[in-house]
Amino acid sequence: MLGDFFTRALVAGVGLAAVTGPLGCFVVWRRMAYFGDTMAHSALLGVAISILLSINMTLGVFAVAALVAGALLLLQRQNTLSTDALLGILSHSSLAVGLVLVGFLTQVRIDLMGFLFGDILAVSTEDILIIYGGGIAILVLLALNWRPLLAATVSPELAEAEGLKPEISRILLMLLMASVIAIAMKLVGVLLITSLLIIPAATARRLSATPEIMALVAAVLGAASVIAGLYGSLTWDTASGPSIVVAALLIFLLSLTVPTARLFGRRENHGA
């Protein structure tokens, strides 16, 4: 009989996958994988600042990730460095500053490995409520803004011509990513969040004919990765977070054996 901790881990992981799947599709379509890493690395800085200021850790991580996203937008407008260079600076700097601040917090015992790689088996009922509450809010915002987000992804110029304000869509997407990173940090850790965003979405892209179907398939594949990874972790006594990512990788490799013809939905020529 599985313990309550394992059941809570399954429930929390499936709820997180339902959010990271659709959001990860935009990460894949927009080629934002490195940006996802930058946001994830900033989470550790958010943890350190939250402890220093004695504020809620989820809110602290979200605030820092949002500030990093805002800094990227401002620096991009100056046109002094390429986007990948800016992302490299922000990513490694925020991670390094976070680690340095953690080093100064000698009066507080911090599970650094837990923050880096997560501990989904330690999830509490309160964590589940945060995941599902925040996840539902993210999915609702994503659904309400699906058309402008998708249009801005396919062609920012066309979206601008149609009055859909692609810059606002970009800011919204960054804030949604900051939100999901804040609620996912405790489960899979700051170094593995991007994998859960990208791998199921990349797998779904090979199997889906439309953006909407791809978002749904990505969520299902993410949930399957969580379930397979947790049971694999239980069977072979491996770390739960990395096991989930390995399961997602195996599903992706398995998908490579499937012909490129889309399995879900009718084929359409869409830009995403």
Side-chain angles (χ1 to χ4, degrees), residues 230-253:
L230 284 176
Y231 274 100
S233 173
L234 183 67
T235 302
W236 293 292
D237 193 26
T238 55
S240 53
S243 296
I244 291 172
V245 177
V246 169
L249 173 62
L250 292 176
I251 293 174
F252 171 75
L253 294 176

Short mmCIF file of all heavy atoms in Angstrom, two decimals, residues 230-253:
data_model
loop_
_atom_site.label_atom_id
_atom_site.label_comp_id
_atom_site.label_asym_id
_atom_site.label_seq_id
_atom_site.Cartn_x
_atom_site.Cartn_y
_atom_site.Cartn_z
N LEU A 230 7.90 8.75 -10.91
CA LEU A 230 7.72 8.47 -9.49
C LEU A 230 7.74 6.98 -9.19
O LEU A 230 8.34 6.54 -8.20
CB LEU A 230 6.41 9.11 -9.00
CG LEU A 230 6.45 10.63 -8.81
CD1 LEU A 230 5.08 11.15 -8.42
CD2 LEU A 230 7.48 11.01 -7.74
N TYR A 231 7.07 6.21 -10.04
CA TYR A 231 7.10 4.76 -9.82
C TYR A 231 8.49 4.19 -10.07
O TYR A 231 8.92 3.25 -9.40
CB TYR A 231 6.06 4.07 -10.71
CG TYR A 231 4.69 4.03 -10.09
CD1 TYR A 231 3.72 4.95 -10.47
CD2 TYR A 231 4.36 3.10 -9.12
CE1 TYR A 231 2.45 4.95 -9.90
CE2 TYR A 231 3.09 3.07 -8.55
CZ TYR A 231 2.15 4.00 -8.94
OH TYR A 231 0.91 3.99 -8.35
N GLY A 232 9.22 4.76 -11.03
CA GLY A 232 10.60 4.35 -11.25
C GLY A 232 11.48 4.69 -10.07
O GLY A 232 12.33 3.90 -9.65
N SER A 233 11.26 5.88 -9.50
CA SER A 233 12.00 6.29 -8.32
C SER A 233 11.72 5.36 -7.14
O SER A 233 12.63 5.00 -6.39
CB SER A 233 11.62 7.73 -7.95
OG SER A 233 12.20 8.11 -6.72
N LEU A 234 10.45 4.95 -7.00
CA LEU A 234 10.08 4.04 -5.92
C LEU A 234 10.69 2.66 -6.12
O LEU A 234 11.15 2.02 -5.17
CB LEU A 234 8.55 3.93 -5.87
CG LEU A 234 7.96 3.07 -4.75
CD1 LEU A 234 8.21 3.71 -3.40
CD2 LEU A 234 6.46 2.87 -4.96
N THR A 235 10.74 2.22 -7.37
CA THR A 235 11.25 0.88 -7.67
C THR A 235 12.77 0.79 -7.53
O THR A 235 13.28 -0.18 -6.93
CB THR A 235 10.84 0.48 -9.10
OG1 THR A 235 9.42 0.53 -9.22
CG2 THR A 235 11.33 -0.93 -9.42
N TRP A 236 13.47 1.78 -8.07
CA TRP A 236 14.94 1.70 -8.10
C TRP A 236 15.62 2.62 -7.09
O TRP A 236 16.84 2.76 -7.10
CB TRP A 236 15.44 2.00 -9.51
CG TRP A 236 15.05 0.94 -10.49
CD1 TRP A 236 15.50 -0.35 -10.53
CD2 TRP A 236 14.13 1.08 -11.58
NE1 TRP A 236 14.91 -1.03 -11.56
CE2 TRP A 236 14.07 -0.19 -12.25
CE3 TRP A 236 13.35 2.10 -12.10
CZ2 TRP A 236 13.27 -0.42 -13.35
CZ3 TRP A 236 12.54 1.89 -13.21
CH2 TRP A 236 12.51 0.63 -13.82
N ASP A 237 14.84 3.26 -6.23
CA ASP A 237 15.37 4.12 -5.17
C ASP A 237 16.28 5.21 -5.74
O ASP A 237 17.42 5.41 -5.30
CB ASP A 237 16.14 3.27 -4.14
CG ASP A 237 16.46 4.05 -2.87
OD1 ASP A 237 15.71 5.01 -2.58
OD2 ASP A 237 17.45 3.73 -2.20
N THR A 238 15.76 5.91 -6.72
CA THR A 238 16.49 7.01 -7.35
C THR A 238 15.84 8.34 -6.97
O THR A 238 14.71 8.37 -6.47
CB THR A 238 16.51 6.87 -8.88
OG1 THR A 238 15.15 6.76 -9.36
CG2 THR A 238 17.28 5.64 -9.30
N ALA A 239 16.52 9.44 -7.22
CA ALA A 239 15.98 10.76 -6.92
C ALA A 239 14.71 11.00 -7.74
O ALA A 239 14.68 10.74 -8.95
CB ALA A 239 17.02 11.83 -7.23
N SER A 240 13.67 11.51 -7.08
CA SER A 240 12.36 11.62 -7.73
C SER A 240 12.33 12.65 -8.86
O SER A 240 11.84 12.36 -9.95
CB SER A 240 11.29 11.96 -6.69
OG SER A 240 11.66 13.12 -5.95
N GLY A 241 12.89 13.86 -8.62
CA GLY A 241 12.86 14.90 -9.65
C GLY A 241 13.58 14.49 -10.93
O GLY A 241 13.00 14.51 -12.02
N PRO A 242 14.86 14.09 -10.83
CA PRO A 242 15.56 13.63 -12.02
C PRO A 242 14.90 12.41 -12.66
O PRO A 242 14.94 12.26 -13.89
CB PRO A 242 16.95 13.26 -11.48
CG PRO A 242 17.13 14.15 -10.29
CD PRO A 242 15.78 14.25 -9.67
N SER A 243 14.28 11.55 -11.87
CA SER A 243 13.61 10.38 -12.44
C SER A 243 12.45 10.79 -13.33
O SER A 243 12.20 10.17 -14.37
CB SER A 243 13.10 9.46 -11.32
OG SER A 243 14.18 8.93 -10.57
N ILE A 244 11.74 11.85 -12.94
CA ILE A 244 10.64 12.36 -13.76
C ILE A 244 11.17 12.87 -15.09
O ILE A 244 10.60 12.61 -16.15
CB ILE A 244 9.88 13.46 -13.00
CG1 ILE A 244 9.13 12.86 -11.81
CG2 ILE A 244 8.91 14.19 -13.92
CD1 ILE A 244 8.51 13.89 -10.89
N VAL A 245 12.28 13.59 -15.04
CA VAL A 245 12.86 14.13 -16.27
C VAL A 245 13.37 13.00 -17.16
O VAL A 245 13.21 13.04 -18.39
CB VAL A 245 13.99 15.13 -15.94
CG1 VAL A 245 14.63 15.64 -17.22
CG2 VAL A 245 13.45 16.29 -15.12
N VAL A 246 13.98 11.98 -16.57
CA VAL A 246 14.45 10.83 -17.35
C VAL A 246 13.27 10.13 -18.02
O VAL A 246 13.34 9.71 -19.18
CB VAL A 246 15.23 9.85 -16.45
CG1 VAL A 246 15.48 8.54 -17.19
CG2 VAL A 246 16.56 10.46 -16.02
N ALA A 247 12.15 10.00 -17.29
CA ALA A 247 10.95 9.39 -17.88
C ALA A 247 10.46 10.21 -19.06
O ALA A 247 10.08 9.66 -20.10
CB ALA A 247 9.86 9.26 -16.83
N ALA A 248 10.48 11.55 -18.92
CA ALA A 248 10.08 12.42 -20.03
C ALA A 248 11.01 12.24 -21.23
O ALA A 248 10.57 12.22 -22.39
CB ALA A 248 10.07 13.87 -19.58
N LEU A 249 12.31 12.09 -20.95
CA LEU A 249 13.28 11.87 -22.02
C LEU A 249 13.03 10.55 -22.73
O LEU A 249 13.09 10.49 -23.97
CB LEU A 249 14.69 11.89 -21.44
CG LEU A 249 15.83 11.52 -22.40
CD1 LEU A 249 15.90 12.51 -23.56
CD2 LEU A 249 17.16 11.44 -21.67
N LEU A 250 12.74 9.50 -21.98
CA LEU A 250 12.48 8.19 -22.60
C LEU A 250 11.24 8.24 -23.48
O LEU A 250 11.20 7.63 -24.55
CB LEU A 250 12.33 7.13 -21.51
CG LEU A 250 13.61 6.80 -20.72
CD1 LEU A 250 13.31 5.80 -19.60
CD2 LEU A 250 14.68 6.25 -21.65
N ILE A 251 10.21 8.96 -23.03
CA ILE A 251 9.00 9.10 -23.85
C ILE A 251 9.33 9.86 -25.13
O ILE A 251 8.85 9.52 -26.22
CB ILE A 251 7.90 9.83 -23.05
CG1 ILE A 251 7.42 8.94 -21.90
CG2 ILE A 251 6.71 10.18 -23.96
CD1 ILE A 251 6.44 9.63 -20.97
N PHE A 252 10.18 10.89 -25.02
CA PHE A 252 10.58 11.64 -26.21
C PHE A 252 11.35 10.73 -27.19
O PHE A 252 11.09 10.74 -28.40
CB PHE A 252 11.46 12.82 -25.82
CG PHE A 252 12.09 13.52 -26.99
CD1 PHE A 252 11.34 14.35 -27.81
CD2 PHE A 252 13.44 13.34 -27.28
CE1 PHE A 252 11.92 14.99 -28.90
CE2 PHE A 252 14.03 13.98 -28.36
CZ PHE A 252 13.25 14.80 -29.17
N LEU A 253 12.29 9.95 -26.66
CA LEU A 253 13.05 9.04 -27.52
C LEU A 253 12.14 8.00 -28.18
O LEU A 253 12.32 7.65 -29.35
CB LEU A 253 14.14 8.34 -26.71
CG LEU A 253 15.25 9.25 -26.16
CD1 LEU A 253 16.22 8.47 -25.29
CD2 LEU A 253 16.00 9.93 -27.31
#
